[in-house]
Amino acid sequence: MSDTKSGDDKTLSVTPKKTLTLKRPGMEQGTVRQNFSHGRTKSVVVETKKRKFSMPGDKPEPVAAAPVPVFTPKPPVVAAPVVQEAPKAPPPPPRPAPVERGGMVLNELSRSEMEARRRALEGSKVREVEDRQRAAEDAKRRAEDEERRRREREESARRQAEEEARLQTEAESRRRAEEEARRRAPQAAELATADEEEEVKPKRPGAGAPIRRPVTPEVARPAKPTKSEEDRRRGKLTLNSALSDEDARARSLSSMRRRQEKFKRAMHNEPREKVMREVILPETITIQELAQRMSERAVDLVKYFMKQGQILKPGDVIDADTAELVATEFGHTVRRVAESDIEEGLFNIADNAEDLVSRPPVVTIMGHVDHGKTSLLDAIRNANVVSGEAGGITQHIGAYQVEKNGHKITFIDTPGHAAFTAMRARGAQATDIAILVVAADDSVMPQTIESISHAKAAGVPIIVAINKIDKHDADPQKVRSELLRHEVFVESMGGEVLDVEVSATKGTNLDKLLEAILLQAEILDLKANPDRTAEGVVIEAQLDKGRGPVATVLVQTGTLMPGDILVAGNEWGRVRALVNDRGGQIKEAPPAMPVEVLGLQGTPQAGDRFAVVNNEARAREITEYRQRLAREKAVAKHAGQRGSLEQMMSQLQTSGLKEFPLVIKGDVQGSIEAINAALDKLGTDEVRARIVHAGAGAITESDVSLAETSGAAIIGFNVRANVQARAAAAAAGIEIRYYSIIYNLVDDVKAALSGLLSPERRETFIGNAEILEIFDITKVGKIAGCRVTEGKVERGAGVRLIRDNVVIHEGTLKTLKRFKDEVSEVPGGQECGMAFQNYEDMRVGDVIECFRVEMVTRTL
């Protein structure tokens, strides 16, 4: 059993997982090369371990393997000699197949292991051969690439050399041609040295980019060479010279040709052919713009004006007449256009007769102040408008619409105060029928006459409403008689003007008045086209704190709807909402309907016409033109008032004009207009009110700053100052006066202007005294002994010394004595002593006149 512990069994029991060690005795080493990505390799050492064989005398070891057969004799006497003979057999040599030696069998696992190792070694050798072949192929491929690139470089250099040689040949031939041309035209040589004004890139036939002349290697140039005659004539350039910094850019042949032609024209004074153009001239144009439209130089136009004695700059503006003269002088034709052409087709669009339908009449109520116009309208509307007006005086244009027997009537109420002349005129122009309200107890008054004039100027029929017939002193017949003097002939007096006796407070005959209006409207046959863009007039405009700019408009034709783009005067906007006279929003405003329009960019002027346009671009263009026109008109208005500082000072010294600056803020544009007109009438040659700024809206901090800068007072008409404005005014010490009735405002401004008037010097005669004797007193001077011949003489009064009816001296008395006492006055017939202050040239027989000077305050 000890054979199982042989050395061979010990060797075969080792598994392949055991780690191999390096350089052990009895081992053979091999190298295996491993290949990785990117061309990396790694060599691994492989060891081959030799098989061991059991030798006699070795200590046997137990083997957990198949039992080994042992030969023993059948007679069981002694088994020991058999056991000792078995291990004496020599170890078998290594073979691939199992060999039996002395009763032992070699393990099959050692041969498979050796076979695997052998195959691995052969595979590593094969891979080494493949790696060497692949490396040789790579080196060969790199050599081929390098050879190909070298051949390409040589081919490119050869082609470039051929191109340069060809270009040099062309340049040489061109140079010879140019030398031949120079011999024929010697002037070109002088011209070549002139300064370079034009540069044109030369182009070779078939080439799209400019080329430059090649660099000649035999010519050595400095960093910035000076151009010789040959350099200037070389013409075309090569690619190398274009990219090189050594060679300067040369002049092209086309440039030389143009320069020669210019030189020839200069020699023969041949002018260039002039191009005649049609110049479009607006109303104003700058000299620079005119020169561009004529294709002339602006300096030529400036020289032309200098010859005419005017020094102008290219940016100066000239009118169309002057521009037409200049363009004609330069040989051009002119076509005049006006900037106002952009407004063509905005107003007065003709309507087809079949599109017209009946519309309500527009009635204006006019008359003298406090004759009951608004009260009459209240009674018609069953509302109370007059209670909302300050002092019971209408200061705005109110527009309302009422219905009678299924027919609508639009009423426009105008102020009757003298300051609202323009508002009455506006109301008459925007109306169909004028109702002239005359109080039966007051008869015809100045504003009544003015209202008649406005109605006749507008060409509208008049209906006379004789109001206040319920009063005990009413006399309607007197009213009719006085109207005859102003060519208003009522029916009862044989005329054609309708007259109705009414009472606004009692509601008497209001139905007759409405029937008369409808009758007159039926006679007029009022029609309009509601299916077109709206047109009309701005009745009133104001700046509302919560709603922004609000314009009260009267639609005269067409239908106004929210979303329409509206142009009103100098302002435009998209209609955001329409509000009727009852305060409710409506979807559309047909003809003859008054509405409030919200959505404008700014506050238009009362009386401006409005129209609906197609788009915002045209609306903006029209308003910009109108704003520019208004600015130019304002500049032209004040141009004559401006001058040099010396002129202004001389005017102030000679005229002595004093100004009262004012900043006026009102609730609506109509009030501002009326205030301006009223204050203008207050001015005289000595004092006047100067309105620094006037606008609609509340008093703001900017208004206070403006008033502080200009030293003006602030007047608020039906408006108030906000908190910031009040604080700023208190800090700056500026007074803000609030008014709600216009004549109170006018009276206060009139009083302020009266305070600016210089007081009048009024002289009062007191008495005369005749000099009887002259006394010369030491330390006192000359004293005249006088007798009072007329009136009396007072101490402290002014005196004049009159000699032969000629005033010799005027001054004051130094002393007045009666005997030796100083007295305050000396009555007539008594004698006294008088001495003049700083004057002693008195003679016997002179007359001393005594007078008193009073300064009397003047009023406007």
Side-chain angles (χ1 to χ4, degrees), residues 484 489-497:
L484 291 176
F489 306 105
V490 297
E491 285 186 338
S492 59
M493 304 293 287
E496 297 180 354
V497 177

Side-chain angles (χ1 to χ4, degrees), residues 134-401:
R134 192 179 300 110
E137 291 176 356
D138 291 342
K140 181 179 179 181
R141 188 169 56 253
R142 285 195 296 272
E144 292 176 353
D145 292 342
E146 185 66 25
E147 180 65 20
R148 179 173 47 80
R149 284 195 293 271
R150 184 184 63 79
R151 287 197 301 268
E152 289 177 354
R153 287 195 299 270
E154 291 177 355
E155 182 67 19
S156 176
R158 184 182 61 80
R159 285 197 302 267
Q160 185 175 0
E162 292 177 355
E163 180 70 15
E164 289 181 356
R166 186 179 63 81
L167 292 177
Q168 287 179 359
T169 305
E170 293 179 357
E172 184 65 23
S173 62
R174 189 165 51 252
R175 185 179 63 80
R176 287 196 297 270
E178 289 176 357
E179 290 178 357
E180 182 67 22
R182 277 203 306 276
R183 284 196 297 271
R184 296 179 180 176
Q187 295 87 353
E190 299 175 2
L191 187 60
T193 59
D195 57 338
E196 297 181 12
E197 296 181 355
E198 304 176 69
E199 279 196 25
V200 178
K201 294 182 179 180
K203 291 189 177 181
R204 212 170 0 118
I211 56 174
R212 296 178 183 264
R213 186 181 183 280
V215 179
T216 53
E218 61 271 12
V219 179
R221 298 180 183 274
K224 288 190 176 181
T226 57
K227 293 183 179 181
S228 63
E229 185 68 21
E230 183 178 357
D231 296 335
R232 295 180 184 274
R233 302 293 178 176
R234 273 193 298 197
K236 296 183 180 179
L237 305 175
T238 63
L239 186 61
N240 288 340
S241 61
L243 299 177
S244 174
D245 294 335
E246 298 178 358
D247 196 5
R249 184 172 179 175
R251 187 183 298 277
S252 66
L253 293 178
S254 301
S255 175
M256 293 302 303
R257 192 176 298 110
R258 286 192 301 270
R259 196 166 289 277
Q260 290 177 6
E261 293 176 357
K262 182 178 179 182
F263 180 76
K264 290 178 182 179
R265 286 197 305 268
M267 292 295 292
H268 296 87
N269 293 326
E270 295 179 0
R272 183 172 293 180
E273 183 180 356
K274 190 176 184 63
V275 179
M276 302 303 176
R277 298 181 180 273
E278 183 185 23
V279 182
I280 299 175
L281 295 181
E283 295 177 355
T284 58
I285 189 172
T286 63
I287 295 178
Q288 182 70 40
E289 180 67 20
L290 179 61
Q292 291 177 359
R293 296 189 181 189
M294 294 192 305
S295 297
E296 303 282 352
R297 296 191 306 166
V299 65
D300 294 337
L301 272 68
V302 173
K303 289 179 181 178
Y304 173 78
F305 281 110
M306 290 179 65
K307 291 179 181 178
Q308 304 300 323
Q310 293 181 335
I311 306 300
L312 297 177
K313 302 185 297 296
D316 290 342
V317 179
I318 57 177
D319 56 7
D321 295 335
T322 306
E324 183 176 359
L325 291 175
V326 173
T328 307
E329 185 70 23
F330 278 80
H332 301 282
T333 59
V334 173
R335 181 161 64 90
R336 297 279 290 269
V337 295
E339 293 185 3
S340 58
D341 293 344
I342 62 174
E343 294 187 350
E344 288 184 359
L346 190 63
F347 298 110
N348 303 324
I349 302 175
D351 294 318
N352 297 325
E354 58 271 12
D355 296 334
L356 300 178
V357 296
S358 298
R359 66 170 177 84
V362 179
V363 181
T364 298
I365 299 180
M366 307 172 72
H368 191 71
V369 63
D370 202 24
H371 274 203
K373 298 180 297 300
T374 307
S375 300
L376 181 62
L377 185 58
D378 281 349
I380 295 174
R381 295 180 61 229
N382 297 322
N384 190 7
V385 177
V386 70
S387 62
E389 294 287 356
I393 299 173
T394 300
Q395 301 174 98
H396 311 131
I397 288 184
Y400 315 99
Q401 197 168 48

Side-chain angles (χ1 to χ4, degrees), residues 52 69 104 147 209 237 266 306 325 352 454 604 629 718 732 753 829:
K52 289 185 179 182
M104 293 189 304
E147 180 65 20
L237 305 175
M306 290 179 65
L325 291 175
N352 297 325
H454 289 322
L629 207 63
N718 285 335
L753 292 176

Side-chain angles (χ1 to χ4, degrees), residues 697-700 716-722 726 738-740:
I699 300 172
T700 60
F717 187 76
N718 285 335
V719 294
R720 292 294 182 268
N722 55 28
R726 288 198 299 269
Y738 300 109
Y739 297 93
S740 57

Side-chain angles (χ1 to χ4, degrees), residues 688-717:
R688 70 180 179 92
R690 180 169 63 90
I691 300 175
V692 179
H693 172 67
I699 300 172
T700 60
E701 195 172 357
S702 61
D703 298 326
V704 177
S705 302
L706 179 61
E708 182 181 4
T709 304
S710 57
I714 300 178
I715 291 178
F717 187 76

Side-chain angles (χ1 to χ4, degrees), residues 305-596:
F305 281 110
M306 290 179 65
K307 291 179 181 178
Q308 304 300 323
Q310 293 181 335
I311 306 300
L312 297 177
K313 302 185 297 296
D316 290 342
V317 179
I318 57 177
D319 56 7
D321 295 335
T322 306
E324 183 176 359
L325 291 175
V326 173
T328 307
E329 185 70 23
F330 278 80
H332 301 282
T333 59
V334 173
R335 181 161 64 90
R336 297 279 290 269
V337 295
E339 293 185 3
S340 58
D341 293 344
I342 62 174
E343 294 187 350
E344 288 184 359
L346 190 63
F347 298 110
N348 303 324
I349 302 175
D351 294 318
N352 297 325
E354 58 271 12
D355 296 334
L356 300 178
V357 296
S358 298
R359 66 170 177 84
V362 179
V363 181
T364 298
I365 299 180
M366 307 172 72
H368 191 71
V369 63
D370 202 24
H371 274 203
K373 298 180 297 300
T374 307
S375 300
L376 181 62
L377 185 58
D378 281 349
I380 295 174
R381 295 180 61 229
N382 297 322
N384 190 7
V385 177
V386 70
S387 62
E389 294 287 356
I393 299 173
T394 300
Q395 301 174 98
H396 311 131
I397 288 184
Y400 315 99
Q401 197 168 48
V402 300
E403 189 169 347
K404 171 67 175 176
N405 298 331
H407 299 282
K408 292 184 177 180
I409 304 174
T410 299
F411 284 95
I412 297 177
D413 185 17
T414 63
H417 194 273
F420 296 96
T421 301
M423 298 176 73
R424 278 192 299 278
R426 227 176 10 251
Q429 291 169 0
T431 190
D432 302 316
I433 302 171
I435 295 181
L436 184 64
V437 179
V438 186
D441 60 340
D442 205 9
S443 191
V444 177
M445 298 300 287
Q447 271 65 62
T448 309
I449 302 171
E450 186 182 308
S451 299
I452 295 171
S453 302
H454 289 322
K456 288 185 176 180
V460 296
I462 298 175
I463 297 177
V464 179
I466 303 175
N467 196 17
K468 301 184 181 181
I469 61 170
D470 56 323
K471 289 193 173 183
H472 65 280
D473 55 348
D475 189 359
Q477 196 61 31
K478 180 184 177 183
V479 174
R480 296 186 180 97
S481 300
E482 291 192 2
L483 288 175
L484 291 176
R485 293 189 297 174
H486 302 287
E487 299 180 355
V488 177
F489 306 105
V490 297
E491 285 186 338
S492 59
M493 304 293 287
E496 297 180 354
V497 177
L498 299 176
D499 65 306
V500 183
E501 296 180 6
V502 296
S503 172
T505 55
K506 303 294 184 181
T508 308
N509 294 334
L510 295 182
D511 291 340
K512 291 184 179 180
L513 180 60
L514 294 177
E515 289 174 359
I517 293 172
L518 293 176
L519 178 61
Q520 188 68 53
E522 187 178 352
I523 295 173
L524 294 176
D525 191 20
L526 303 172
K527 291 185 177 181
N529 180 11
D531 300 327
R532 50 158 289 182
T533 56
E535 290 182 21
V537 64
V538 179
I539 300 296
E540 194 54 87
Q542 61 181 334
L543 187 64
D544 192 271
K545 183 177 181 181
R547 300 184 296 172
V550 179
T552 302
V553 303
L554 176 65
V555 181
Q556 293 176 324
T557 183
T559 302
L560 184 62
M561 292 180 290
D564 288 344
I565 300 172
L566 198 71
V567 175
N570 296 343
E571 305 295 338
W572 73 278
R574 188 180 293 274
V575 178
R576 194 168 69 241
L578 297 175
V579 183
N580 60 10
D581 57 334
R582 301 287 179 176
Q585 290 197 10
I586 56 177
K587 295 298 182 182
E588 61 179 17
M593 183 174 186
V595 289
E596 285 186 344

